[in-house]
Amino acid sequence: MTLLVEVPPPAPAPAAEVPPARRSAGRRLVGAAAPYLYLAPALALLVVWTYRPLLQAVQLSTLSWNLLPTSPATPVGAANFREVLTAPELGDAVGVTALFIVGLLPFTIVLPVVIALSARRVRGRARTLYQALVFAPMLVAPVASAAIWQWLLDPGSGAVNRVLGLQVNWLADPTAAQVAIIVVTGWHVLGFATLIVSAGLGGTDDEYAAAASVDGARPRQITWRITLPLLSPTLVFLTLMTILLSAQWSFPLVDTLTQGGPGDATTSIYYLLWEYGFRSFDAGHGAAAGLVFFVVFLAVAWVLVTLSDRLSFHDD
Amino acid sequence: MTRPSRHLLTRPPARLAGLLVAAALVLTACGIGAPTTSGGTAFAPELAPDQKVTITFESYNLSQAGTWTDTFNELLGEFSREHPNITVNAQKPQGTSPNGVSNAVPSVQAQLVTGNPPDVAQLGFGDLDFTVHQLGAKPLDDLVGRPAVDANFGGEHPYAPAARTLGDWEGKTYGVPFVFSTPVLYYNASLFAAAGLDPNTPPRTWAEVKTAAQAIKARTGRDGSYVDCVTRVANDWCYQALVESNGGSVISDDRSRLTFGEPPAVGAVAMVQDLVNSGAAPKLSQAQAYPQFARGEMGMLLESSSLQGTFQKGAAGKWDLRAAPMPSFDGRPTMPTNSGAALFVLSNDPAKQRAAWELVQFLTSDRAYTTISSKIGYLPLRTSLVDDPRYLQPWAARNPLLAPNLEQLSRLQRWQSFPGNDYTRIKDRMMAGVESVVFQGADPTATMTAAQNEAAALLPTTR
């Protein structure tokens, strides 16, 4: 009945049980090194492509330099970090990012749960079709869908205004642009989130619900008291994904639809970071901003992972 | 189902972590940012008759399929027939922006980092300071000699005097101005007539633009006007034209101080804000505005002639497209700026430098301008070509849209580039301020003063 299988610690390798006295020092060394040798190719790639660039970013963040071999790299100490943390646009970008996260939660938690729960009543082929339809937006390239949304959101001849009977200038008004980005991003990730919730539901045990209904529980009670608690690890995971990745999910849409505007209304921290790193030629400043965001997200992820163990109900 | 948190919390043994950190440190120690110095630029001797040279040419005009690319491929084909010993590999800038112009400098920078820059690059005037000081554009005066540079600007149909110095920086010619436009007021004569306005007397001042636009809005229901100069996406070239036409500037003459927060510059922004607030201009992004004008659903649009082809296609058989000079501030003379780009030589190899110069000469020749102007719509910088029946005269006679653009060339002001590594951030800060004043109704003086103060911290001298 265990749903979450704890992987037992690997059994000690048989070689380690052989009395050491009977083996030469050289063979012992080879034996001890073997697992590391197996790991070496993967670790080498990890070091070369992840940890080394990370350390180089630290080094770069203390320089004022445009990366060009003909230009001097001037050490500036912590000046880049001071600049990043005191930049007036940083506060706005954090606010926009928080807004995106809160705005996206209905699309990554509420709607997927509703859709997945109602999809359970659909049976057979219709269910597959239903799931495929919900998942479809995820398969459309964001930049391509952004181009279509740009037409749909056109204030004059766009379909959105005509259907809703509104006169909203979606991409040129700050609040409307934020709403538009959230809804289009939500439309995009909804299928993915629904898929995760469906998988989570598939992993819960029907016997609890069956037992509860034998005891006279109503479907509503079963959903609230049994299904949702059993689903909590999935929901916490989706919350974590939303908090950490909202700004990334919305990036291609922001880049194509609003370029961070109007004003700074849709400049999230990722868009700001991209502007620092790739629109200006101040590599040190970009690296400093990247590191600050890295550390902050690391802290956020750590807090969330710790919380997730407390908040989730595990059917161990 | 597995719990994601367990995976995230799984830790490698401490020894292993130590090993990884050590390896990363060792690899990093070989370091970043060891600058190499470059000396002055030596004269590039003429190529020997049998000397074969291969050069790369990077142009944002190659990033758009259709007219732009076809025109350039045709020109490069002609060049290779004329110079069989020089092979030109033409390429478009690498980058993510759908607008190739925005990719131009980052692309060259990325290739410079790997030590392999294009030999000839077409780069914007707004990037001139960075191109000269950081990208290492070669001074043509040293490369081929001042007389040769002057001779190229001269000839049977010499460059317009205002255009020939646009690629000069700190007393030397670095770039040969190549393709650009001035701000042109395109207008829909059919909508003018429908609104009871005289299509033969387009507005000459911004006050007249406002009146005409309000009339169009009231009588036809269409949007009246759009000034494509006041957003970050539009870049700052024609915003600078507005500022200078109102007696202002964006940076002081000695380039030590930003000035776009001062009253004349602010006044120009306030004028456009008033167009929007009074209903004479809609709140639209660039991507929304120019297609709307091309569909015939807008009265007037201040725009670069690089979009003229799009408008002609949209107007053909449907509505009457016309062009007028940039409107003035109450009759004071306008100060049109230029958009566009110059050709720069970046190569360090003498043979390639000479071959690059041959290509630059060819691309800025009488014949090349005849092809470029007639097919794309850019200004012929050799202005007398439009009077020569062997070149552009027949085309100019059929194209009344050219006249205002050509006339403004005589009063051209330089599109100022900002100094330092953060020049794009300075520009972005400035244009974000302009955008929030015009479209979000922010207070002009307070917003632009704040933007100027914030951007001032990014100037290189204060570091």
Side-chain angles (χ1 to χ4, degrees):
Chain A
M1 193 97 160
T2 308
L3 294 172
L4 300 155
V5 181
E6 291 293 325
V7 180
E17 285 170 18
V18 176
R22 289 178 48 189
R23 307 187 60 179
S24 72
R27 291 193 58 162
R28 258 203 334 256
L29 195 67
V30 171
Y36 292 100
L37 285 176
Y38 283 120
L39 280 174
L43 291 179
L45 289 177
L46 203 60
V47 167
V48 168
W49 295 113
T50 305
Y51 297 125
R52 176 171 171 257
L54 200 59
L55 287 175
Q56 282 183 324
V58 174
Q59 200 181 349
L60 198 55
S61 68
T62 62
L63 302 173
S64 173
W65 190 36
N66 56 21
L67 290 178
L68 294 175
T70 47
S71 308
T74 326
V76 291
N80 283 329
F81 288 95
R82 258 201 307 280
E83 234 177 83
V84 168
L85 293 173
T86 54
E89 61 264 29
L90 183 70
D92 296 343
V94 170
V96 169
T97 312
L99 183 78
F100 282 1
I101 292 170
V102 173
L104 277 173
L105 281 174
F107 293 95
T108 54
I109 307 288
V110 183
L111 281 175
V113 169
V114 173
I115 293 172
L117 284 176
S118 17
R120 282 210 303 185
R121 304 211 187 118
V122 188
R123 295 282 160 206
R125 272 201 194 160
R127 182 183 196 166
T128 320
L129 179 74
Y130 190 71
Q131 283 178 334
L133 286 177
V134 172
F135 192 67
M138 191 71 198
L139 300 174
V140 182
V143 177
S145 75
I148 309 282
W149 278 102
Q150 182 140 24
W151 295 330
L152 294 175
L153 293 169
D154 189 273
S157 43
V160 174
N161 272 353
R162 265 187 293 163
V163 169
L164 298 177
L166 294 173
Q167 283 286 316
V168 179
N169 195 343
W170 287 101
L171 300 177
D173 176 75
T175 317
Q178 288 168 343
V179 172
I181 293 290
I182 288 171
V183 171
V184 177
T185 310
W187 169 80
H188 236 280
V189 298
L190 180 63
F192 169 72
T194 308
L195 196 76
I196 302 266
V197 175
S198 295
L201 279 177
T204 58
D205 200 319
D206 290 339
E207 283 180 36
Y208 291 119
S213 76
V214 166
D215 286 345
R218 285 177 307 242
R220 200 188 170 78
Q221 287 177 312
I222 294 174
T223 303
W224 282 102
R225 302 272 181 85
I226 294 173
T227 314
L228 286 182
L230 282 175
L231 207 53
S232 61
T234 307
L235 298 184
V236 168
F237 170 71
L238 276 175
T239 312
L240 189 139
M241 293 278 284
T242 310
I243 292 174
L244 293 181
L245 298 180
S246 278
Q248 277 188 37
W249 288 334
S250 57
F251 181 90
L253 297 163
V254 169
D255 193 31
T256 320
L257 289 176
T258 63
Q259 290 84 37
D264 283 331
T266 55
T267 301
S268 67
I269 49 170
Y270 274 101
Y271 200 77
L272 189 68
L273 179 61
W274 176 80
E275 283 191 331
Y276 282 165
F278 297 101
R279 288 261 302 130
S280 87
F281 300 97
D282 194 340
H285 190 261
L291 284 175
V292 168
F293 296 157
F294 175 75
V295 169
V296 169
F297 272 111
L298 203 66
V300 171
W302 183 78
V303 169
L304 287 174
V305 168
T306 316
L307 273 182
S308 80
D309 271 350
R310 303 225 180 126
L311 292 177
S312 308
F313 172 82
H314 293 295
D315 180 24
D316 285 335
Chain B
M1 194 191 139
T2 54
R3 261 187 288 176
S5 54
R6 293 284 151 152
H7 289 290
L8 290 167
L9 286 177
T10 305
R11 274 189 224 150
R15 251 184 310 171
L16 190 57
L19 199 72
L20 290 179
V21 170
L25 277 173
V26 167
L27 281 165
T28 314
C30 52
I32 52 172
T36 55
T37 49
S38 62
T41 304
F43 185 79
E46 295 270 0
L47 295 177
D50 56 344
Q51 197 174 353
K52 296 230 185 278
V53 188
T54 302
I55 54 171
T56 49
F57 167 50
E58 185 160 306
S59 161
Y60 61 74
N61 283 118
L62 290 164
S63 49
Q64 210 180 68
T67 326
W68 284 12
T69 304
D70 296 346
T71 308
F72 271 68
N73 285 340
E74 180 188 327
L75 285 173
L76 293 171
E78 267 183 56
F79 177 76
S80 67
R81 277 193 294 282
E82 234 174 65
H83 298 84
N85 288 338
I86 302 176
T87 310
V88 181
N89 293 325
Q91 62 190 34
K92 62 180 183 183
Q94 303 138 10
T96 52
S97 172
N99 182 352
V101 183
S102 324
N103 290 331
V105 170
S107 169
V108 168
Q109 187 211 23
Q111 292 171 81
L112 267 169
V113 172
T114 63
N116 191 21
D119 299 303
V120 182
Q122 179 185 339
L123 300 170
F125 293 104
D127 307 308
L128 187 57
D129 189 297
F130 192 77
T131 303
V132 167
H133 287 129
Q134 305 298 337
L135 299 181
K138 300 288 174 279
L140 297 172
D141 299 0
D142 301 348
L143 209 61
V144 296
R146 184 79 225 173
V149 174
D150 283 338
N152 184 51
F153 283 129
E156 190 189 349
H157 297 289
Y159 260 62
R164 63 181 287 171
T165 53
L166 292 176
D168 292 8
W169 204 238
E170 291 159 7
K172 280 184 180 175
T173 300
Y174 285 86
V176 180
F178 184 37
V179 287
F180 67 73
S181 171
T182 63
V184 177
L185 184 74
Y186 290 98
Y187 66 101
N188 184 331
S190 312
L191 273 185
F192 265 61
L197 302 164
D198 180 8
N200 296 317
T201 51
R204 294 147 58 96
T205 66
W206 288 110
E208 290 175 22
V209 167
K210 183 177 168 184
T211 322
Q214 283 173 327
I216 291 170
K217 181 81 186 164
R219 292 181 204 151
T220 69
R222 300 297 193 191
D223 284 323
S225 62
Y226 187 84
V227 181
D228 190 14
C229 311
V230 287
T231 57
R232 263 191 295 189
V233 178
N235 216 328
D236 64 334
W237 68 279
C238 88
Y239 158 73
Q240 290 192 13
L242 292 177
V243 166
E244 291 188 22
S245 299
N246 198 35
S249 62
V250 294
I251 188 166
S252 62
D253 287 339
D254 63 356
R255 300 177 61 72
S256 67
R257 207 163 47 79
L258 299 175
T259 53
F260 57 80
E262 290 173 8
V266 173
V269 182
M271 182 280 292
V272 190
Q273 185 193 41
D274 178 51
L275 286 182
V276 171
N277 287 350
S278 65
K283 288 186 184 177
L284 291 179
S285 68
Q286 179 185 54
Q288 293 171 329
Y290 80 81
Q292 184 174 334
F293 181 79
R295 289 197 301 268
E297 296 170 4
M298 187 187 282
M300 295 166 267
L301 176 66
L302 191 71
E303 189 54 88
S304 145
S305 70
S306 62
L307 287 172
Q308 191 166 296
T310 312
F311 300 153
Q312 283 173 312
K313 218 177 277 175
K318 293 187 189 126
W319 54 278
D320 185 5
L321 170 70
R322 299 200 198 171
M326 175 183 174
S328 68
F329 286 84
D330 301 323
R332 271 176 288 167
T334 55
M335 302 281 187
T337 50
N338 60 289
S339 62
L343 295 172
F344 296 90
V345 176
L346 302 177
S347 182
N348 289 316
D349 174 77
K352 289 182 184 235
Q353 287 170 340
R354 177 54 72 168
W357 172 243
E358 297 290 347
L359 179 65
V360 170
Q361 281 179 293
F362 174 82
L363 288 174
T364 54
S365 65
D366 296 351
R367 213 177 51 200
Y369 271 119
T370 304
T371 307
I372 290 170
S373 298
S374 58
K375 299 209 165 151
I376 298 183
Y378 281 121
L379 270 174
L381 303 187
R382 301 181 183 275
T383 41
S384 55
L385 284 173
V386 299
D387 304 321
D388 190 330
R390 287 174 303 149
Y391 295 105
L392 283 169
Q393 198 249 355
W395 173 77
R398 290 195 310 274
N399 266 283
L401 297 176
L402 175 70
N405 208 354
L406 208 55
E407 185 269 328
Q408 292 187 140
L409 189 51
S410 60
R411 284 175 286 126
L412 194 67
Q413 300 293 312
R414 183 190 276 280
W415 171 16
Q416 294 290 351
S417 58
F418 290 106
N421 287 336
D422 281 316
Y423 75 102
T424 28
R425 284 177 63 207
I426 297 177
K427 197 157 69 178
D428 280 351
R429 218 57 238 144
M430 174 174 84
M431 294 313 290
V434 173
E435 205 175 319
S436 62
V437 170
V438 172
F439 292 115
Q440 275 96 60
D443 177 68
T445 307
T447 309
M448 293 314 293
T449 310
Q452 178 180 311
N453 291 340
E454 283 167 21
L458 301 168
L459 283 173
T461 42
T462 61
R463 280 248 174 134

